[in-house]
Amino acid sequence: MIAAAPRLPVFAAALGALTLLAAVGSMLVGPAGLAPQAVLRGLFTADADTVALVVQQIRLPRTVLAAGIGAVLGLSGAALQGYLRNPLAEPGLIGVTGAAALGAVLMLYTGASQSFALALPAGGMVGAMLAVLLVLLLAGRAADTLTLILAGVAVTSFASALTSLALNLAPSPFAALEIVFWLLGSLSGRSLEHVALALPFMLVGGALIVSTARALDALALGEDAAQSLGFRLGAVRWRLVLGTALAVGAATAVAGAIGFVGLVVPHVLRPLVGHKPSALLPVSALGGAVLLLLADILVRVITPAQELKLGVVTALIGAPFFFTLVIKSRRRLA
Amino acid sequence: MRRHLHAERHIRRTGTRLAAGALVLACALLAGPVAARPSNVVSLNICTDQLAIQLLEPDRIASVSFLAADPHYSVVADKAEQFHLNRGRAEAILRLDPDLVLAGTYTSPATVRLLRRLGYEVVQVPPPRDLAAAREQIRTVADALGVPDRGERLIARIDRRLARAAPEGSHARRPVAAVYEANGVTPGRGELAHAVLHAAGLRNLAARRGLRNLAPLPLEALVMADPAVLVFVSRRDAPPSQAQNLLAHPALAALKQRAAVAVVPPALWSCGGPQLARAVERLAQARARALAAPEATR
């Protein structure tokens, strides 16, 4: 951990550069097949020609959302793992994204978000909030892994059942088919309107989570130690709950439930930067952005005509990770 | 000699009469058991629904599909309301004990299999893929309903109206048109809509891109193609969904300002019928607007 400290800025800078590179790649990929110079001109031109439309209205929102959503998922994963002192804590696994999707579904298909656009992220955030509170209530802080996962499974399956029910009852003939979008997530067809709806909440939520970093460091030493260092644990918990709900809720409301990012990214980065949450949080945000940007490039490259859902790619990367974690924890228990 | 001639004439006359009788008999046999007009018809498919309502007396129709009563999909929605509306479930149809069931090739396959096994007369028609197929569909259904002459009259009416609706000079200049449906799909070659676009003097973007049937068209590709005519099929007040919301994408809104926009609901061009002419008229109007627009704005 001591050795990790001087390495941290280097890693952060490298991840930052990687994020930028992935973002550039995301801007360059698409069925229109634009040359890099055309994309560059289209990004900064004030004309409303077709290239500018494609770059500014279709690719830019996609890139911004992929980076932002990946960042908040990575960040909230790292923070939840630190706070709950549990390697499997992640917004997807503990049911936060599932509940956020349910909240957004209720707002979108009833037409509430048509008459009041902010209802969409609001629904996602309320759903996420309820899920975090429910899991904390069911499992409690520093609950054993099994209890936490069971609470997460309960919340997730309940939320996904209610999501299916809501979509089946929705008046739109397309609704029932869109269960895939909500369970697996996608950035296809997103616009700057979605960015405007979600990004402010994601920024505020992300800032709230980052503000708990020092307290999470202290908490790693135990609750008593943290309290003696002057951290008010109640306030820390509320900032973390609110931050996760805002960030993950708003992100899920516009892109569906994207799993595994919050699980994989902190685990990959922890050996590189050490276990201190204050070091892990910022790099996890960058790592999440890189992962989701790359995943969103992949879905466009693998099957250009009919895009894969993002959750398919993140699960393909994340599920093997999950397996190794299970095997590791079994060894520890044995 | 004279008697002989007389006899010969008699034989010949009898022969003619026999031949005529055989012809009538053959016709009756060819037309099969449906020559007797069915009196309790159930239709499971939106195309056969509309044809049955247009061709047959209402008291001979037992049930049509629920889509027939939806004006978004059906041009005879007001007339369909008087019938029992089915959702293709075998149970409801068995209770009606129909003497003829009309179905699409792809509608309710399980129901059709069950009805056939139970000995019900089921006539299946494929979805019309072009104007010729639409005529053929009308002929098939009219024959099955025992009203072939009404079918021919309907076809003649469609052809007259289509000929009137087709724009002048449609072969010389064909602006590119794109149909964009919910979920970002577009009808390519092999869809009736493609044939209707052609009849209206337009060139279908989807077919130019080699797309067949109903195929996804990425929004980026649509924007880059910058079609002169943009066709939408859905109503403004459609219930919200992600598929529907895609049509409100800002990039599409910008494209709409550059193109001539036409709205042609499925009722007008998913089945064969006189309504096809109305689809052609709407598209031809959009074509005229596109051709009138100064080139500089494109």
Side-chain angles (χ1 to χ4, degrees):
Chain A
M1 253 165 74
I2 298 156
R7 289 213 311 244
L8 184 64
V10 183
F11 271 118
L15 271 174
L18 216 56
T19 308
L20 211 62
L21 212 64
V24 169
S26 171
M27 289 297 290
L28 291 179
V29 169
L34 298 172
Q37 303 96 298
V39 173
L40 195 66
R41 193 198 63 80
L43 187 58
F44 294 107
T45 182
D47 304 342
D49 59 4
T50 52
V51 175
L53 273 180
V54 166
V55 174
Q56 294 173 6
Q57 302 287 346
I58 300 176
R59 291 196 189 169
L60 183 65
R62 217 179 158 140
T63 305
V64 170
L65 284 177
I69 294 171
V72 297
L73 289 176
L75 184 65
S76 55
L80 287 171
Q81 284 166 23
Y83 179 73
L84 296 168
R85 280 185 279 182
N86 197 317
L88 293 182
E90 188 251 347
L93 282 176
I94 67 169
V96 179
T97 50
L102 172 62
V105 161
L106 290 178
M107 291 300 139
L108 198 150
Y109 295 87
T110 54
S113 63
Q114 262 182 337
S115 35
F116 179 58
L118 279 176
L120 184 70
M125 290 184 289
V126 170
M129 182 74 145
L130 292 177
V132 185
L133 292 178
L134 196 60
V135 167
L136 286 184
L137 200 73
L138 282 173
R141 197 179 112 70
D144 62 294
T145 306
L146 187 66
T147 317
L148 182 75
I149 291 305
L150 278 179
V153 166
V155 173
T156 302
S157 47
F158 191 57
S160 70
L162 288 179
T163 302
S164 320
L165 180 67
L167 289 173
N168 272 306
L169 295 178
S172 171
F174 299 102
L177 296 172
E178 287 171 6
I179 182 89
V180 193
F181 172 93
W182 291 105
L183 294 186
L184 291 172
S186 169
L187 287 173
S188 173
R190 302 299 92 179
S191 70
L192 286 175
E193 289 166 3
H194 292 109
V195 176
L197 283 178
L199 199 62
F201 298 108
M202 285 156 57
L203 286 173
V204 173
L208 276 173
I209 297 174
V210 170
S211 78
T212 63
R214 295 260 161 239
L216 291 179
D217 283 353
L219 264 177
L221 307 170
E223 286 190 11
D224 295 340
Q227 262 164 340
S228 69
L229 284 169
F231 291 106
R232 293 193 5 251
L233 292 185
V236 171
R237 183 170 62 232
W238 275 109
R239 262 183 287 161
L240 193 59
V241 167
L242 199 63
T244 307
L246 289 183
V248 178
T252 307
V254 296
I258 301 164
F260 289 107
V261 177
L263 180 73
V264 172
V265 171
H267 275 278
V268 173
L269 295 174
R270 201 169 281 127
L272 301 175
V273 299
H275 287 71
K276 235 166 91 174
S278 61
L280 190 61
L281 255 48
V283 290
S284 289
L286 288 173
V290 173
L291 179 63
L292 207 58
L293 280 165
L294 291 180
D296 191 47
I297 291 173
L298 274 181
V299 297
R300 280 178 280 175
V301 171
I302 298 173
T303 51
Q306 193 105 66
E307 284 179 21
L308 283 174
K309 294 285 176 261
L310 264 178
V312 175
V313 176
T314 54
L316 281 176
I317 301 167
F321 232 89
F322 201 30
F323 287 135
T324 54
L325 278 176
V326 171
I327 293 166
K328 263 189 214 158
S329 67
R330 276 187 54 158
R331 261 192 221 129
R332 234 193 345 262
L333 287 176
Chain B
M1 183 69 189
R2 186 174 276 190
R3 264 176 77 174
H4 177 72
L5 263 177
H6 182 80
E8 199 182 57
R9 204 178 295 153
H10 178 79
I11 290 166
R12 232 188 248 158
R13 213 180 286 155
T14 323
T16 322
R17 220 177 282 159
L18 267 176
L23 199 68
V24 169
L25 193 68
C27 282
L29 281 175
L30 274 177
V34 289
R37 208 173 287 177
S39 59
N40 203 29
V41 177
V42 167
S43 166
L44 308 179
N45 170 276
I46 177 66
C47 288
T48 55
D49 291 340
Q50 296 183 77
L51 288 176
I53 292 172
Q54 284 170 342
L55 293 171
L56 209 58
E57 297 80 6
D59 59 342
R60 288 178 183 271
I61 300 172
S63 171
V64 290
S65 85
F66 70 104
L67 287 177
D70 184 339
H72 186 59
Y73 297 99
S74 161
V75 283
V76 289
D78 49 336
K79 289 184 190 144
E81 276 165 8
Q82 60 180 302
F83 303 112
H84 170 264
L85 300 175
N86 69 69
R87 285 180 177 263
R89 301 223 174 84
E91 215 173 296
I93 290 150
L94 286 173
R95 225 174 21 214
L96 297 166
D97 195 28
D99 55 357
L100 175 69
V101 177
L102 296 171
T105 321
Y106 306 108
T107 12
S108 322
T111 300
V112 167
R113 266 201 306 279
L114 181 70
L115 289 171
R116 285 219 166 109
R117 212 167 54 223
L118 294 175
Y120 285 92
E121 167 92 20
V122 182
V123 172
Q124 277 182 298
V125 291
R129 302 218 168 271
D130 52 36
L131 294 174
R135 290 189 197 96
E136 203 44 51
Q137 186 188 55
I138 295 172
R139 261 184 210 114
T140 310
V141 172
D143 285 353
L145 293 174
V147 287
D149 43 338
R150 288 185 200 169
E152 291 305 328
R153 279 205 296 279
L154 182 62
I155 291 170
R157 204 165 99 227
I158 295 169
D159 287 342
R160 269 199 312 277
R161 291 198 52 184
L162 275 178
R164 262 208 308 272
E168 276 177 44
S170 58
H171 295 288
R173 292 179 72 187
R174 288 188 174 273
V176 172
V179 187
Y180 208 57
E181 299 187 14
N183 243 341
V185 296
T186 185
R189 217 177 279 279
E191 285 285 317
L192 188 56
H194 170 73
V196 175
L197 285 172
H198 191 82
L202 294 165
R203 198 181 327 203
N204 185 4
L205 172 70
R208 282 183 78 190
R209 291 179 60 91
L211 299 178
R212 300 192 61 83
N213 306 329
L214 215 53
L217 177 68
L219 187 56
E220 269 192 24
L222 178 69
V223 171
M224 288 308 290
D226 199 11
V229 175
L230 206 46
V231 189
F232 297 96
V233 300
S234 48
R235 42 190 159 189
R236 238 173 250 274
D237 61 341
S241 63
Q242 302 273 8
Q244 202 61 49
N245 291 355
L246 183 64
L247 300 179
H249 196 286
L252 202 55
L255 212 59
K256 272 190 214 172
Q257 305 211 314
R258 308 154 63 90
V261 176
V263 177
V264 186
L268 295 187
W269 60 344
S270 48
C271 296
Q275 68 273 17
L276 288 174
R278 271 161 63 199
V280 171
E281 277 160 18
R282 285 194 192 186
L283 293 168
Q285 281 164 12
R287 172 181 179 269
R289 284 200 303 278
L291 289 175
E295 201 62 28
T297 64
R298 298 210 48 75

